[in-house]
Amino acid sequence: MASDDIAQLADALSKTHVGDGELSYKGLGLKLDGAESVEELVRDIEQYQGLRALRLEGNTVGVEAAQAIAKALESKDLLQRCYWSDMFTGRLRSEIPTALRSLGRALMSAGARLTELDLSDNAFGPDGVKGIEQLLKSPSCHTLRELRLNNCGMGIGGGKILAEALMECHRQSADVGAPLRLRVFIAGRNRLENEGASALAKAFQLIGSLEEVHMPQNGINYVGVVALASAMRQNPELRILNFNDNTFTKRGTLAMAQALRHLRNVQVINFGDCLVRSEGAIALAAVLREGLPILKEINLSFGEITEAAALVVAQAVTDKPHMEKVDLNGNCLGEEGCDALREVLENMDKGDILASLSDDEGEPDDEENDSENDDDASDECDEDNEEEYCETVKGNGMTREDSPEKPQTPAEIMTFLRCPSVEKLLQLREMRTNLQQQVDASEPNEAADVLLKISSLYNDNPEAKTAVLEAFDAVLEKLLSGSALQSYGLLTSLLVMMGLLKGEGKVKKVSLVPGQLLCLEHAVQQEYFPQHHASLLYIFLSRNGETLKSCGSATERLSFALEKRCHKQH
């Protein structure tokens, strides 16, 4: 080793922090190739009694250097924390697994019990995961609490290997009475995609102890998101969820919303740049209404959310006592929408929690949206995606929640629903309970369709009018009796069918008649219709009322009834 290299190493080592059980070479920029290049470093490790943490990040370690360091670690049974991120800059990818295996074998030989392992920013790919596979399965990782593998290029293959290693670690540790209790998992920017994410979801579901999950920028769409959502639900201590810059769309967001209903400790949600869109935002607002009691931050930026949906979210967060930040930047609010959003929060003395809106995309163009929705319909129905989605649902043991099996539909009701008429409805008056049983809040599009069919029969004939309103009330009251997530889902479907909200998938706008709005006018004044549901409808109607101008005075009557109901709550 050249004398100037030795001098450089000696100078660098003189700057290391030694104390509190930690030996740190962080950020020294050392190029450690052969065994001679790490002689002094190795000596420091060997002489450090009670070594609990070793920081090697920000240097570059070759195979021989790693083997020499590993030899020194074989006696360090108290080592708990390995901060080894950004440790292989400039190294061949083929070298990294060998170096990692040497270090891993040393930890296992020492009998170390790790609590933290950070290998972030090492572009080692799937082979690098193989390099730590045995370590992760070993007793040395039974005690692991934090695993950081950010920006490692694991890919689908690496994600699958990692998932299997974690599950094996959990199985083996459970067999000896102390199951793995991983708390923090970080694996952003790894190109995990659906298959890698779904594999890891199975591991998360088994582990059940996660408090933080960070998986941004992994190319995951709704198939993988649905699998992850199912797994998140099995981790009741979750505090931080970061899936920024993946592609949720409606299906993935609804699955995440369903999971969040069951999580009481979540403090930070980052679904920014996830294409949550308006329907997804409304679903999340429903969960905010009925759960997430200690939430501090929610990021729904750059999600193609329109003004009305953003206002629904804003209203939902105003009751959160711990809320510190709401990020709705980069959506499609328009200048007036941004002002309205600020006003809603300022009126509730929450103006300071709203993040900047400087990157707002402006109000969406109708023609552009129509084109996007057509694309979404084809995406949602893509055969490969759909097959993968079904396998994911089956593989994760997921079922449609809160949806008991429907009773067989009586012939009279089937006939009515196929071809509605006042005469048929009058004949069904004694079968109102049967009609209620045919609607299921977990099938919001079908339920909304039934409501619109019933209300389309409204007319001024007293007997017909009474029968229509009775049937409408009976069905709607049942549909609104479940969770806020289900009832918001129903209202979202109604808004899409009424043309007040552009939705994803195949649901199309229907041709409205005044009677349908008059039934809604009647319903929003009833005790079974919650005020915040009325507020949701009012927000959309007040901003898209032109859509219903063909219904004349019925639109004005509905708007007046909603406004009156909303003001009553203030």
Side-chain angles (χ1 to χ4, degrees):
M1 186 176 186
S3 58
D4 55 341
D5 289 336
I6 295 173
Q8 179 192 6
L9 178 58
D11 179 59
L13 292 177
S14 71
K15 299 172 185 174
T16 62
H17 168 69
V18 180
D20 302 324
E22 179 179 288
L23 193 54
S24 176
Y25 307 96
K26 180 179 180 180
L28 297 180
L30 301 173
K31 189 173 188 296
L32 307 173
D33 297 322
E36 72 281 1
S37 70
V38 291
E39 285 177 355
E40 289 193 44
L41 189 157
V42 164
R43 190 176 306 119
D44 274 357
I45 293 174
E46 289 174 339
Q47 292 175 356
Y48 199 117
Q49 300 302 311
L51 180 65
R52 296 181 184 276
L54 178 61
R55 307 198 79 109
L56 296 175
E57 65 264 56
N59 300 289
T60 176
V61 181
V63 171
E64 289 185 21
Q67 289 169 341
I69 294 170
K71 186 70 176 174
L73 290 175
E74 286 179 358
S75 62
K76 300 303 172 182
D77 61 322
L78 297 180
L79 187 63
Q80 297 177 330
R81 304 186 302 280
C82 297
Y83 302 108
W84 296 347
S85 64
D86 188 22
M87 203 172 75
F88 298 108
T89 300
R91 302 293 171 182
L92 294 175
R93 181 174 284 194
S94 58
E95 294 181 76
I96 300 174
T98 305
L100 288 172
R101 284 191 186 93
S102 297
L103 294 166
R105 279 194 294 266
L107 296 173
M108 290 186 281
S109 176
R113 293 293 183 266
L114 298 185
T115 58
E116 296 181 45
L117 178 59
D118 186 355
L119 288 165
S120 298
D121 301 314
N122 290 310
F124 50 50
D127 289 339
V129 185
K130 291 178 183 176
I132 59 170
E133 183 180 7
Q134 293 308 313
L135 172 64
L136 289 173
K137 291 178 178 180
S138 76
S140 289
C141 284
H142 287 185
T143 49
L144 197 62
R145 297 292 178 264
E146 300 184 14
L147 179 59
R148 293 176 168 85
L149 295 167
N150 203 57
N151 190 32
C152 289
M154 289 190 286
I156 293 171
K160 289 181 175 180
I161 296 167
L162 176 61
E164 184 53 46
L166 290 173
M167 287 191 286
E168 183 62 25
C169 181
H170 186 274
R171 282 192 286 267
Q172 290 189 19
S173 58
D175 286 345
V176 295
L180 171 67
R181 291 194 55 79
L182 190 67
R183 291 198 296 254
V184 177
F185 180 85
I186 300 175
R189 300 181 65 188
N190 271 294
R191 304 192 305 277
L192 294 170
E193 301 182 16
N194 290 335
E195 288 185 64
S198 297
L200 284 165
K202 292 179 181 177
F204 299 157
Q205 196 149 346
L206 182 65
I207 293 168
S209 57
L210 290 167
E211 296 177 16
E212 296 185 25
V213 176
H214 303 261
M215 296 176 67
Q217 282 186 285
N218 269 299
I220 308 167
N221 70 23
Y222 75 88
V223 176
V225 173
V226 167
L228 287 167
S230 178
M232 294 305 99
R233 183 177 167 179
Q234 304 304 318
N235 288 265
E237 300 305 315
L238 267 173
R239 294 182 295 106
I240 298 175
L241 270 179
N242 176 7
F243 292 113
N244 189 285
D245 198 9
N246 289 291
T247 307
F248 281 28
T249 59
K250 176 182 174 181
R251 226 168 185 170
T253 311
L254 289 179
M256 277 294 174
Q258 192 67 262
L260 287 168
R261 281 187 62 213
H262 302 274
L263 301 172
R264 308 291 295 175
N265 296 302
V266 175
Q267 297 178 21
V268 178
I269 295 172
N270 186 345
F271 295 163
D273 207 9
C274 283
L275 219 57
V276 164
R277 293 190 175 138
S278 296
E279 289 177 278
I282 294 170
L284 292 171
V287 179
L288 286 165
R289 284 281 184 186
E290 66 179 357
L292 301 171
I294 59 173
L295 189 68
K296 293 181 179 180
E297 295 182 22
I298 184 165
N299 181 349
L300 301 178
S301 60
F302 299 93
E304 294 188 4
I305 299 168
T306 58
E307 174 194 355
L311 290 174
V312 173
V313 171
Q315 288 190 346
V317 302
T318 55
D319 292 331
K320 297 296 170 194
H322 305 284
M323 188 62 71
E324 297 172 0
K325 184 178 180 182
V326 178
D327 193 344
L328 288 161
N329 194 25
N331 284 298
C332 307
L333 312 184
E335 189 174 340
E336 290 183 8
C338 290
D339 290 341
L341 189 59
R342 293 188 190 98
E343 184 180 350
V344 165
L345 291 170
E346 286 168 2
N347 287 345
M348 300 297 291
D349 294 323
K350 297 272 189 179
D352 59 331
I353 70 173
L354 183 64
S356 168
L357 298 172
S358 59
D359 295 314
D360 186 70
E361 296 285 342
E363 294 182 53
D365 179 78
D366 286 344
E367 290 183 11
E368 182 182 305
N369 269 0
D370 288 340
S371 172
E372 286 176 2
N373 290 335
D374 289 341
D375 290 342
D376 292 334
S378 63
D379 285 346
E380 294 284 321
C381 295
D382 177 82
E383 285 185 14
D384 292 337
N385 258 352
E386 195 62 29
E387 185 176 338
E388 195 176 351
Y389 170 73
C390 291
E391 285 299 315
T392 298
V393 169
K394 184 178 178 182
N396 284 276
M398 295 157 56
T399 57
R400 188 176 297 283
E401 191 170 7
D402 303 326
S403 54
E405 192 174 334
K406 281 188 195 176
Q408 190 169 355
T409 308
E412 300 93 329
I413 292 179
M414 287 186 66
T415 303
F416 168 73
L417 293 175
R418 274 199 300 267
C419 187
S421 71
V422 171
E423 292 74 18
K424 291 173 188 168
L425 184 62
L426 289 171
Q427 293 169 8
L428 290 177
R429 289 184 76 173
E430 299 303 317
M431 299 180 68
R432 190 170 68 181
T433 302
N434 297 76
L435 187 58
Q436 278 183 314
Q437 291 174 344
Q438 300 316 304
V439 291
D440 185 344
S442 67
E443 299 282 0
N445 293 337
E446 293 179 15
D449 185 55
V450 171
L451 285 170
L452 290 174
K453 283 178 176 176
I454 293 170
S455 56
S456 69
L457 304 176
Y458 181 97
N459 63 53
D460 290 331
N461 178 283
E463 188 179 15
K465 182 177 178 180
T466 300
V468 169
L469 292 178
E470 282 180 356
F472 193 84
D473 279 339
V475 171
L476 186 55
E477 183 173 6
K478 181 204 171 183
L479 292 169
L480 297 184
S481 65
S483 69
L485 183 57
Q486 287 184 332
S487 55
Y488 271 45
L490 170 73
L491 295 180
T492 299
S493 291
L494 276 174
L495 290 168
V496 172
M497 291 180 178
M498 293 168 69
L500 296 174
L501 169 65
K502 286 187 169 62
E504 295 181 27
K506 295 180 176 179
V507 180
K508 299 298 182 184
K509 177 183 172 184
V510 302
S511 297
L512 293 176
V513 294
Q516 291 164 321
L517 302 191
L518 294 175
C519 283
L520 273 176
E521 179 215 7
H522 161 82
V524 300
Q525 299 175 70
Q526 307 308 307
E527 287 187 9
Y528 69 77
F529 203 96
Q531 288 178 327
H532 60 94
H533 289 49
S535 177
L536 188 159
L537 288 180
Y538 180 65
I539 287 171
F540 277 88
L541 186 61
S542 63
R543 279 152 181 81
N544 302 285
E546 283 295 306
T547 305
L548 307 180
K549 62 184 178 182
S550 63
C551 293
S553 62
T555 304
E556 296 173 12
R557 286 176 58 177
L558 173 57
S559 182
F560 179 76
L562 287 168
E563 186 175 10
K564 184 178 178 182
R565 186 74 194 277
C566 292
H567 286 165
K568 191 181 290 186
Q569 73 188 53
H570 301 300

